[in-house]
Amino acid sequence: MDLARTEVTRRRTGNAARLGLMAVPVAFFAVFFAYPVAAIVARGLRADGAWHPGRIGQVLAQSDVRHVLWFTTWQALVSTALTLLVALPGAYVFARFAFPGRQLLRAVVTVPFVLPTVVVGTAFLALAGRGGLLDELWGLRLDTTVWAILLAHVFFNYAVVVRTVGGLWAQLDPRQEEAARMLGASRLAAWRTVTLPALAPAVAAAALMVFLFTFTSFGVVQILGGPAFSTLEVEIYRQTSEIFDLSTAAVLTLVQFAAVGSILALHAWTVRRRETALRLVDASVTARRPRGAGQWTLLAGVLGTVAVLLVLPLAVLVERSLDAPGLGYYRALTRQDGGTFLVPPIAAVGNSLVYAVAATAIAVLIGGLAAAALTRRDAGRFVRGFDALLMLPLGVSAVTVGFGFLIALDEPPLDLRSSWILVPLAQALVGVPFVVRTMLPVLRAVDQRLREAAAVLGASPWRVWREVDLPLVGRALLVAAGFAFAVSLGEFGATVFLARPDSPTLPVAVARLLGRPGDLNYGQAMALSTILMVVCAVALLVLERLRTDRTGEF
């Protein structure tokens, strides 16, 4: 009886602690996500002060809208499959192989992910469009084709798979797979029956993030797709900014919201059924130099893929930024032209760093609390639903979020239109899902008996987290912070509406320069893009050094 009563008390205490951890993330998302999105959608569906629910059916009945829905869905599925196919070998190499320059290469792999999507589209246009490198060498053009869009999506999302899956793969105990081989299993069978099930939550999380990013793709499709291809995000932007039809934009936002919600619900159900407790070890004992012709061939193949798919488009950007003699494009960044900006374009570098640091702090706090609340796999429906809701910012139109901020946060007590914190808040909304999805698989892999033993010895929930969870998930926390920082640096969709003319971010500055005719503006855009790459690479190298110091990893 005493044991049963103790168990009931422990469960009640755990549930109370979970709800306490959820309070801050719930309030944050309610105020800075649900409220602004609901405000802009309600304004779009209400004309002349009256609601028009029949407008939803009218919009969906249009053949061009159905074509947009179909293209958005199938290109996201194909892009996700191609990204997993290309990036999973890279995740294995970065997790298990120790080779010179691995830290630098890991940072290089992550750089494309933080580039504004308009820059990614421009880079592939310069690479595979009219007069591009492929056109000059072999007469091959891929612009205005779906292949350019798919390859650009793989370029953009390669780091998502490498970071998310590789982060967990590096901490899986290889002795479990070796034990299976000693019992007679082949290398493939041991990997399929031991390692793959353990990686399933991380693979599912990476696939989900890639799908959401490609499902809501904007800049890449707008530049490379031309008039023939349009995703929901592109169509929402066109209806809002070009046609000024908020009603149609609101309907498309609801459709995108419903589709993403359904996908997240399915993901939560499948991943929850497959999660198991894993044995995690220090990453320093799992990375070894390649052995045998097969491993060296795999390493060479991954390095070749990184060189062609990731480094080559970045090299095109750098080459374009150096076209002017004497670093003319870079010198022009220090001058104020009085047209595009109220400050010299170079000021965008400092603005982006300040905003990104603030957004990272917010995202780590909110995402860390949410991940801690979702750690237990026996959570109720409300908690599981909250898990899915945390991912919605990745699937809701950034245009809608940006406009929603301007409309909803314009009067006391939430009049933030003139406050600098508005930009980091919008960027943190996109960073929180990365923090949660990066930390959650590792948190759930921690043996629950360790927490229970600490609780039996009298440790409070906070001390259990500090003494048991944090030492095991410190590496994942650093990875999550790096992802949040990278996402904040490259966020464009919402920031373009919120950044003030005297405080532009790097992506906003690049987009505005690209939107103005003239070689000087284009060259300055390429120069700023190169600076963004360098800033990101330095930040990621610092992150890799911190990870090395904490884990002893090569």
Side-chain angles (χ1 to χ4, degrees):
M1 180 65 70
D2 290 339
L3 290 177
R5 188 175 302 167
T6 301
E7 179 64 19
V8 171
T9 302
R10 187 186 65 81
R11 286 183 177 274
R12 288 178 177 175
T13 303
N15 291 335
R18 183 185 298 117
L19 292 177
L21 291 171
M22 288 177 57
V24 174
V26 168
F28 178 81
F29 274 79
V31 174
F32 297 111
F33 177 69
Y35 175 49
V37 171
I40 187 65
V41 171
R43 177 167 295 193
L45 294 179
R46 187 175 58 226
D48 301 326
W51 289 91
H52 295 276
R55 181 60 178 159
I56 297 178
Q58 295 173 0
V59 172
L60 296 180
Q62 300 175 13
S63 59
D64 55 340
V65 171
R66 292 198 300 270
H67 175 74
V68 169
L69 289 172
W70 167 243
F71 175 74
T72 300
T73 303
W74 81 258
Q75 66 82 23
L77 289 171
V78 175
S79 296
T80 302
L82 284 176
T83 303
L84 290 175
L85 180 65
V86 173
L88 281 177
Y92 174 77
V93 165
F94 283 108
R96 295 302 199 196
F97 290 175
F99 54 91
R102 186 174 67 155
Q103 295 177 33
L104 175 62
L105 193 61
R106 185 186 279 119
V108 170
V109 164
T110 310
V111 168
F113 181 71
V114 305
L115 290 177
T117 53
V118 292
V119 177
V120 174
T122 303
F124 271 82
L125 194 63
L127 180 66
R130 180 186 298 274
L133 181 62
L134 298 183
D135 190 17
E136 293 176 353
L137 294 178
W138 299 295
L140 178 63
R141 288 185 54 193
L142 298 177
D143 59 320
T144 68
T145 70
V146 72
W147 279 108
I149 296 172
L150 297 178
L151 290 176
H153 283 163
V154 175
F155 167 88
F156 187 76
N157 292 290
Y158 186 92
V160 175
V161 177
V162 170
R163 289 279 185 170
T164 305
V165 179
L168 180 60
W169 208 334
Q171 291 183 281
L172 294 182
D173 192 344
R175 290 173 295 186
Q176 298 181 48
E177 188 173 322
E178 294 170 359
R181 295 197 63 193
M182 291 180 61
L183 294 175
S186 64
R187 183 183 298 273
L188 178 61
W191 181 85
R192 180 174 54 83
T193 58
V194 177
T195 304
L196 183 58
L199 289 175
V203 173
L208 171 65
M209 287 189 284
V210 173
F211 182 86
L212 288 179
F213 274 118
T214 53
F215 189 83
T216 59
S217 184
F218 174 55
V220 168
V221 178
Q222 187 180 37
I223 293 176
L224 297 177
F229 303 106
S230 180
T231 58
L232 277 172
E233 188 82 358
V234 173
E235 190 64 20
I236 291 171
Y237 177 81
R238 189 175 73 89
Q239 294 291 337
T240 302
S241 302
E242 299 178 8
I243 304 178
F244 304 107
D245 187 352
L246 286 182
S247 177
T248 299
V251 172
L252 295 179
T253 297
L254 289 176
V255 171
Q256 185 169 297
F257 192 86
V260 171
S262 301
I263 295 165
L264 293 176
L266 177 62
H267 170 267
W269 181 75
T270 55
V271 171
R272 188 175 67 253
R273 290 171 60 90
R274 301 187 66 176
E275 283 178 336
T276 56
L278 312 177
R279 183 176 179 183
L280 302 182
V281 298
D282 193 316
S284 62
V285 304
T286 64
R288 303 174 180 174
R289 293 185 62 84
R291 291 175 294 183
Q295 292 188 356
W296 282 107
T297 301
L298 176 60
L299 175 60
V302 169
L303 294 179
T305 299
V306 170
V308 174
L309 182 64
L310 304 184
V311 176
L312 185 59
L314 300 181
V316 172
L317 288 179
V318 176
E319 186 272 332
R320 292 297 178 93
S321 74
L322 298 174
D323 275 350
L327 300 177
Y329 293 146
Y330 288 91
R331 293 203 309 270
L333 294 176
T334 63
R335 298 192 295 266
Q336 182 175 342
D337 61 5
T340 305
F341 307 102
L342 298 179
V343 295
I346 196 66
V349 177
N351 297 332
S352 289
L353 291 176
V354 172
Y355 289 146
V357 169
T360 299
I362 297 171
V364 169
L365 173 63
I366 302 298
L369 291 174
L374 296 169
T375 299
R376 291 177 62 92
R377 290 181 289 273
D378 59 351
R381 292 183 179 180
F382 175 76
V383 177
R384 293 196 298 268
F386 176 65
D387 183 12
L389 289 175
L390 289 171
M391 297 296 292
L392 285 179
L394 298 182
V396 173
S397 168
V399 175
T400 301
V401 173
F403 274 146
F405 266 49
L406 294 179
I407 291 175
L409 306 179
D410 63 343
E411 58 184 8
L414 291 175
D415 187 0
L416 301 177
R417 287 179 301 174
S418 60
S419 174
W420 70 273
I421 197 64
L422 201 61
V423 173
L425 287 172
Q427 294 174 343
L429 282 173
V430 184
V432 167
F434 282 94
V435 174
V436 174
R437 293 268 72 86
T438 303
M439 294 185 62
L440 196 55
V442 179
L443 277 172
R444 286 181 170 170
V446 177
D447 194 337
Q448 181 63 24
R449 291 173 294 183
L450 296 177
R451 300 189 182 99
E452 293 173 352
V456 169
L457 293 174
S460 64
W462 162 248
R463 188 174 181 183
V464 170
W465 160 256
R466 180 167 53 88
E467 299 291 343
V468 177
D469 292 82
L470 187 58
L472 294 174
V473 302
R475 184 174 185 269
L477 183 62
L478 289 173
V479 173
F483 257 133
F485 184 82
V487 169
S488 300
L489 278 179
E491 204 286 322
F492 171 71
T495 306
V496 70
F497 300 104
L498 303 175
R500 297 179 307 196
D502 60 343
S503 301
T505 63
L506 277 169
V508 172
V510 169
R512 290 178 181 172
L513 287 169
L514 286 174
R516 298 181 65 184
D519 291 339
L520 179 60
N521 290 314
Y522 184 81
Q524 288 183 86
M526 296 301 101
L528 275 182
S529 299
T530 302
I531 292 173
L532 177 57
M533 286 189 290
V534 172
V535 170
C536 176
V538 171
L540 293 172
L541 283 173
V542 171
L543 175 65
E544 293 301 325
R545 178 60 59 185
L546 289 175
R547 290 173 57 185
T548 303
D549 293 341
R550 290 285 302 273
T551 64
E553 185 180 353
F554 177 82

